[in-house]
Amino acid sequence: MTAVIEVAGLTRHYGKVHAVEDVTFEVEENTICGLLGRNGAGKTTLMRLLTGQAFASAGQIRVFGESPVENALVLSRTCFIRETQVYPDSFRGKHALRAAERLFPNWDADYAAQLATEFNLPLDRRIKKMSRGQRSAVGAIIGLAARAELTFFDEPYAGLDAVARELFYSHLLEDYSKHPRTIVLSTHLIDEAAKLLEHVIVIDGGRVIINDNSDALRGTAVTLVGAKSAVDTFAVGREVLGTDVLGGISSVTVAGLSPADKAAAAAAGLEVAPVSLQQLIVSRTRGTVQPQEALS
Amino acid sequence: MTAVAPTHSFTRTHRAPVHRIGATVRIHVANPWTTLISPWLILLVVFGLNFAIWHLVLMAAGDRGVEADAFHYNGGVSWIVFYMVVVAVQAMNQTFSFVVGLGATRRDYFVGTSALFAGLALMYGIGVSVLAGVERATSGWGVNGWFFAPGPFATMPLWEVAVTYTLVLLFMFFVGSGVAAVFVRWGATGILTFFASVAVLLLATLWAITQADAWASVGHFFTARSPLELALLSLPLSLVGGLVGYGLMRRATPKG
């Protein structure tokens, strides 16, 4: 495996705000990596640093083995689509696609046209006059059709309806399997995107708090539901990520259970339910966990 | 010999710098309205108004007629000159975040934009001179009116008119690119600070000239030189404007 992104000790301060704080991680070639975290956690800043648009206060960034800052060889292989992607005021949809064709060496114009039809995008309309969802669709189309070896999507579907989001996910997966590349996807809709993500990096307060394979991550925690006394007894001495009590029924999210532990919990009359990626991340980023329905 | 299989399905990864720079130029003119169409349209409107006014004056004068050089001095064409600052600021402010945001280097963006500005200066310089040629061929649009090459320009050979316009327009573009760079880098606060500083500097210069009682020699500096000579003197200033703009852009961050 080759790392496309290597980051070590990366820090970015804006005055007293530590947007990114001593971050170290790698992203492997040809994976879809989720960059998750709460608003203001530092996701966008991190992506701006990785694409040479913002400047690091300290630490090292290597993309394709080189610093991305003002590096045409790195940047021409990279595409970054932001939530608040800006377009020149005078641009219509077709101008944006034409511009992208000039900027991205692997641009597939036929694919872009096909996507525009599927997303119902009015290419002759000024982007300024488009709805939020339509504007997001322009970004999503550019990000997909650019076929950049390294593509960053920062909340690419603000304002897109559920149908359009599904369309985006299925195209992303399909095109990714036809043209393997490295995709970093930042999103709030964790459960929706979970099926796409092979690897997950969670940042909170500018620091990486989770950096793991998403399958491994899902197995790291379960929710136990049962009578409060039984739950409390079982939870003693274990790593409890969150607790929820309703009447005499208690549910706890517990990390680090072995299969034997799970069997023991079931034997003690507790329901053992898997935790979704979203629940796990919410609990790890200082929220409370809602139990998922037990699988029968 | 065994062929080495490509490691991935991407083949056209690298492009020559000239292509990357050309991409910026094309994006500027993807919608040609701001840079290519609106300046001509507005210039033609200004000319149309002047043309109408000439006829109005002739009509009012009736049989008495007007003095031979009544329509020799006209500043209407300077409108396109100053408008180029606006074109430059608009073009850069509108496209920087888009082009660099999508993954071009600031260097490629700036070189591409400068190339576009040089091309535009040449195009408008030659265009205005061609119109000045028509103006001469028609003896001032039939009414002895001089709009495109008025006053001191009227006696210059057309090529000199073209070179002068091109140089002055180039200067305006790079003034514009400097101003745009201040805005892109520091936003509205930067622009306010910038213009306040310019005003203070200007006032200080006027103060110094007055105190040194040097207005006569300042006047002489300008009257002793032909428009072309003065335009040539703007070249180093344009270069400084460009370098300052690039220096500021190097550390600018795309919005959004």
Side-chain angles (χ1 to χ4, degrees), chain A residues 26-257:
Chain A
E26 291 185 358
V27 175
E28 295 295 332
E29 190 179 33
N30 300 341
T31 53
I32 300 182
C33 173
L35 181 60
L36 311 175
R38 305 180 61 183
N39 289 326
K43 305 184 295 284
T44 303
T45 304
L46 186 56
M47 284 188 269
R48 290 166 74 105
L49 288 164
L50 291 173
T51 50
Q53 296 183 10
F55 301 95
S57 306
Q60 271 217 334
I61 304 172
R62 289 279 170 272
V63 177
F64 299 113
E66 296 177 32
S67 163
V69 175
E70 287 296 272
N71 189 331
L73 291 183
V74 171
L75 294 181
S76 63
R77 302 163 74 178
T78 307
C79 173
F80 179 20
I81 301 296
R82 283 165 295 174
E83 178 183 14
T84 50
Q85 181 67 44
V86 293
Y87 301 93
D89 284 348
S90 62
F91 267 31
R92 299 174 193 279
K94 59 183 178 187
H95 297 133
L97 299 190
R98 222 180 285 157
E101 178 163 17
R102 297 281 156 205
L103 285 171
F104 298 109
N106 296 315
W107 180 259
D108 185 335
D110 295 335
Y111 186 45
Q114 181 204 333
L115 287 170
T117 312
E118 289 189 32
F119 277 103
N120 261 329
L121 189 68
L123 285 176
D124 278 324
R125 189 172 301 173
R126 274 179 196 277
I127 297 177
K128 240 172 102 176
K129 301 256 164 84
M130 287 183 181
S131 72
R132 194 156 181 227
Q134 288 170 330
R135 226 175 301 145
S136 293
V138 176
I141 292 169
I142 292 177
L144 289 169
R147 298 235 167 92
E149 287 169 74
L150 174 59
T151 307
F152 294 90
F153 284 110
D154 184 13
E155 296 287 348
Y157 30 55
L160 278 188
D161 59 46
V163 177
R165 290 204 301 273
E166 271 312 313
L167 196 63
F168 173 73
Y169 296 135
S170 63
H171 270 291
L172 185 67
L173 263 185
E174 191 192 328
D175 204 58
Y176 166 74
S177 57
K178 278 192 214 156
H179 305 272
R181 54 208 200 249
T182 310
I183 293 166
V184 177
L185 176 68
S186 133
T187 178
H188 290 121
L189 305 174
I190 300 171
D191 274 343
E192 253 186 48
K195 59 181 188 287
L196 304 175
L197 307 177
E198 297 163 74
H199 194 94
V200 171
I201 293 173
V202 180
I203 70 173
D204 194 43
R207 292 173 183 277
V208 170
I209 58 166
I210 297 174
N211 177 8
D212 209 343
N213 181 290
S214 54
D215 287 333
L217 203 53
R218 281 193 198 92
T220 59
V222 290
T223 299
L224 306 173
V225 185
K228 189 174 181 306
S229 55
V231 169
D232 287 349
T233 311
F234 187 83
V236 170
R238 299 188 192 277
E239 189 189 340
V240 175
L241 299 175
T243 313
D244 218 9
V245 184
L246 190 66
I249 303 294
S250 174
S251 79
V252 290
T253 302
V254 188
L257 290 194

